[in-house]
Amino acid sequence: MKVLVTGAGGQLGRAVLATAPASVELTPQSRADLDVGDERAVESAIACSSPDVVINAAAYTAVDKAESEAEAAHRVNAVGPGLLAAACRRRGARLIHVSTDFVFDGRSTRPYRPEDPTGPLGVYGATKLEGERRVLRELPEVGTIIRTAWLYDAAGRNFVTTMLRLMSERQMVRVVSDQFGTPTSTDGLAEAIWRTVERGVTGVHHWTDAGSASWYDFAVAICRTGQSMGILRSEVRVEPILTEEYPTPAKRPAFSVLDKTATWTALGVAGVHWQDALDATIRSLAHEATAP
Ligand SMILES: NC(=O)c1ccc[n+]([C@@H]2O[C@H](COP(=O)([O-])OP(=O)(O)OC[C@H]3O[C@@H](n4cnc5c(N)ncnc54)[C@H](OP(=O)(O)O)[C@@H]3O)[C@@H](O)[C@H]2O)c1
């Protein structure tokens, strides 16, 4: 099976490449290889490699910056997926497109199901939602949308690596305690994507690790795990604050836990608890730090 991966240099793109089954013939396309907002480049990349499946891990992910760069975010998050989907339709390829919990408004009192009404609060979420719509318009039968949340790996610029850096520089960090979601490792998501490919799962799906947390809970877990694995000093403290004490250009959903029940059934696998996935990531960082 031939699989083209866009955004191959990003956090998720790297994990998708690293977890690919041996039988897959990969065409990794980083941003420098393929700009998903460029119609001719998309058409020619898909014509040249004639993939059976395209995995779109490319995105404009700077949530706050998107508020002042709406056009740039729209080009990558909405136009790009539409172009990829149209090219896939013409060539008979499947498309697996990755989206976000930020398509929801955060007012739900239970985890969001794939079919729940959307209502993005900011430009990033709105452009990602438009991307989903364009994919499903072009590929109503064979398009797959996987919404995920709070992604991190051991190397990218994300909450885990940022917290570990701040906690090694400061005595105390203050973190928002009234926004809830689910921390998600790129490794688990990448494996779920490969299962989606293997099983031919289509439609709108949700994938995160299991459980839920506030950003504050997540930071405390990073701190404790980092300390127990010897990569953080013992005197760092984490203090909870409210969203209103930490104003940002983009409004974020207060609650964006995703209901994965249908997806776990379709894929025949459930996500691990987020704390276990975090332990594995911090263990790999601790191992790197002590490697000769
Ligand atoms: N990160 C999260 O917390 C989170 C949460 C929910 C959903 N998601 C979704 O998960 C997916 C993967 O996110 P991620 O965390 O892996 O993001 P990431 O690390 O920012 O990776 C995105 C990649 O897309 C590339 N890119 C940007 N513009 C492009 C363009 N015009 N053409 C081709 N590639 C382009 C970026 O290149 P440059 O680095 O050179 O810009 C980067 O390599 C995205 O769909 C994102 O919306 C992420």
Side-chain angles (χ1 to χ4, degrees):
M1 183 190 289
K2 294 206 271 180
V3 178
L4 184 145
V5 181
T6 64
Q11 299 194 100
L12 177 62
R14 293 191 301 268
V16 165
L17 299 183
T19 54
S23 57
V24 165
E25 191 186 315
L26 281 172
T27 305
Q29 299 279 282
S30 68
R31 181 186 188 157
D33 305 314
L34 173 60
D35 171 359
V36 297
D38 178 336
E39 185 167 5
R40 255 197 269 169
V42 167
E43 193 54 44
S44 116
I46 291 183
C48 282
S49 67
S50 58
D52 301 296
V53 179
V54 172
I55 298 173
N56 182 28
Y60 180 111
T61 53
V63 174
D64 286 318
K65 216 160 133 201
E67 294 297 309
S68 52
E69 290 190 355
E71 215 173 297
H74 176 80
R75 184 173 178 278
V76 188
N77 293 344
V79 175
L83 295 176
L84 287 167
C88 284
R89 179 178 46 73
R90 285 192 286 272
R91 306 256 155 200
R94 287 177 55 204
L95 174 63
I96 303 200
H97 172 64
V98 181
S99 191
T100 174
D101 54 333
F102 279 25
V103 297
F104 294 115
D105 67 9
R107 284 188 293 184
S108 179
T109 51
R110 54 144 177 85
Y112 282 100
R113 296 179 190 138
E115 65 278 13
D116 280 339
T118 49
L121 299 177
V123 169
Y124 168 73
T127 58
K128 292 292 294 184
L129 181 60
E130 178 59 21
E132 291 186 5
R133 289 186 175 140
R134 291 184 186 209
V135 168
L136 293 175
R137 201 179 305 141
E138 294 287 350
L139 298 168
E141 309 291 336
V142 293
T144 310
I145 309 289
I146 303 184
R147 297 187 186 129
T148 189
W150 296 26
L151 269 191
Y152 67 87
D153 68 357
R157 202 152 37 132
N158 55 57
F159 190 76
V160 174
T161 53
T162 303
M163 279 296 130
L164 287 173
R165 178 176 52 78
L166 293 178
M167 288 169 182
S168 64
E169 293 167 359
R170 301 181 188 174
Q171 298 278 323
M172 196 257 288
V173 289
R174 305 175 82 212
V175 183
V176 170
S177 61
D178 55 354
Q179 286 171 27
F180 296 85
T182 308
T184 301
S185 152
T186 53
D187 290 337
L189 173 59
E191 277 163 21
I193 289 174
W194 286 116
R195 267 188 104 84
T196 306
V197 170
E198 197 184 292
R199 294 199 159 202
V201 171
T202 58
V204 181
H205 288 272
H206 285 172
W207 179 276
T208 64
D209 287 334
S212 60
S214 68
W215 289 110
Y216 166 74
D217 298 328
F218 190 16
V220 168
I222 293 165
C223 186
R224 287 194 185 142
T225 313
Q227 286 167 338
S228 75
M229 294 190 189
I231 57 170
L232 286 177
R233 290 163 295 126
S234 56
E235 50 296 348
V236 191
R237 272 185 312 117
V238 186
E239 269 192 14
I241 56 169
L242 297 175
T243 298
E244 65 199 42
E245 296 174 79
Y246 186 73
T248 53
K251 226 176 142 199
R252 287 161 166 77
F255 176 89
S256 63
V257 179
L258 301 179
D259 184 330
K260 279 85 60 181
T261 317
T263 306
W264 287 349
T265 303
L267 297 185
V269 67
V272 298
H273 191 272
W274 66 265
Q275 174 75 68
D276 293 336
L278 177 67
D279 285 358
T281 298
I282 296 190
R283 193 171 306 113
S284 75
L285 284 170
H287 185 71
E288 264 171 40
T290 55

